[in-house]
Amino acid sequence: GGQGQLYTVLMVNMGRLTFPTYTVQRRARVFRDRDDLIRYEEAARCLAEVMGAMQSGAWEEARLLYDAAKTAWQDLSHTADLRHEEDLPVFLRCFTAGWAYIRVRSRGVEILQRLKLYEEAVEELRSLLAQSVYCPDSRGRWWDRLALNLQQHLKRTEEAIDCIKAGLSDPLVRTGHQLSLYQRAVRLRESPSCRKFRLLLRDIPAVEVKDVPHVSLPSPHTHHHPHRQLKL
């Protein structure tokens, strides 16, 4: 908090705390002009409003805010030149209007599911997955959610299997979500109600997570001595 920051400044001024020197090399500009910043601020405000409505359980209000933000993003993507955002490194794209609007649309999936609008949720998920510029870390979650909606809520198991296969072959999906997709495929393969789809699931490659080395640390309350053991 502020007290900790004040203490740090005081220690630096007294010479008791020093930080290494470094050179800032800015190779990319996040905001080209004032309009870029204004667009980002508007998108961030939309995201905050949607999240606020969701946290308070006002799902109908959240749906209206989500629809308005989605329309604003569609208008922006058709009228503004967003190639600059695509050229930014991934760690800087989170400060763009496009990133904020995609996060709103990702929250919109949860809103639609809460309202049991699973068909619209599936359509939104397909649209999110059709782009790979913004929020690439969310792709695994989107694939998993799409497979769940197709199989469990819409009873379109064959499409869910195709979704699992596409998710497993997506290079942007991380290991944890790959494992989740594979486990979903295993559950489908072993389910008696999905017996007729087992041939479709036969060629899905197994996802295995290797165990990491384990190290045991001694208790901090025990000190070892060559001739005796002291306990504090």
Side-chain angles (χ1 to χ4, degrees), residues 117-144:
L117 301 171
Y118 299 113
E119 195 72 55
E120 293 183 33
V122 164
E123 183 180 347
E124 182 64 283
L125 283 165
R126 291 192 192 279
S127 179
L128 288 168
L129 288 164
Q131 62 84 36
S132 58
V133 176
Y134 306 105
C135 306
D137 288 349
S138 298
R139 293 183 66 82
R141 186 172 68 254
W142 294 339
W143 282 119
D144 194 45

Side-chain angles (χ1 to χ4, degrees), residues 139-148 160 163-165 167-168 173-188 204-209:
R139 293 183 66 82
R141 186 172 68 254
W142 294 339
W143 282 119
D144 194 45
R145 180 54 60 176
L146 179 57
L148 173 66
C163 168
I164 291 171
K165 291 180 178 179
L168 288 172
V173 174
R174 296 189 173 185
T175 305
H177 285 113
Q178 285 182 345
L179 180 61
S180 178
L181 286 168
Y182 173 70
Q183 290 172 339
R184 185 175 298 281
V186 171
R187 289 194 296 270
L188 283 173
I204 291 182
V207 177
E208 297 180 357
V209 179

Side-chain angles (χ1 to χ4, degrees), residues 18 40 43 52 73 93 100 109 121 129 141 149 163 171 187 193 202-203 224-225 230-231:
T18 59
Y40 169 67
W73 167 239
R93 286 181 213 160
V109 172
L129 288 164
R141 186 172 68 254
N149 284 335
C163 168
R187 289 194 296 270
S193 62
R202 185 176 54 185
D203 59 344
H224 293 282
H225 190 271
L230 300 178
K231 292 186 177 180

Side-chain angles (χ1 to χ4, degrees), residues 39-40 43 70-82 85 97-98 101:
R39 282 194 289 264
Y40 169 67
K70 185 176 180 179
T71 300
W73 167 239
Q74 291 172 341
D75 292 342
L76 180 62
S77 59
H78 285 103
T79 58
D81 183 8
L82 302 178
E85 296 185 359
Y101 279 123

Side-chain angles (χ1 to χ4, degrees), residues 25-31 40 84-100 133-136:
Q25 296 180 349
R26 292 190 178 91
R27 295 188 176 91
R29 294 177 60 189
V30 180
F31 307 113
Y40 169 67
H84 167 70
E85 296 185 359
E86 299 177 12
D87 294 335
L88 287 172
V90 175
F91 69 91
L92 288 179
R93 286 181 213 160
C94 61
F95 300 107
T96 62
W99 190 288
V133 176
Y134 306 105
C135 306

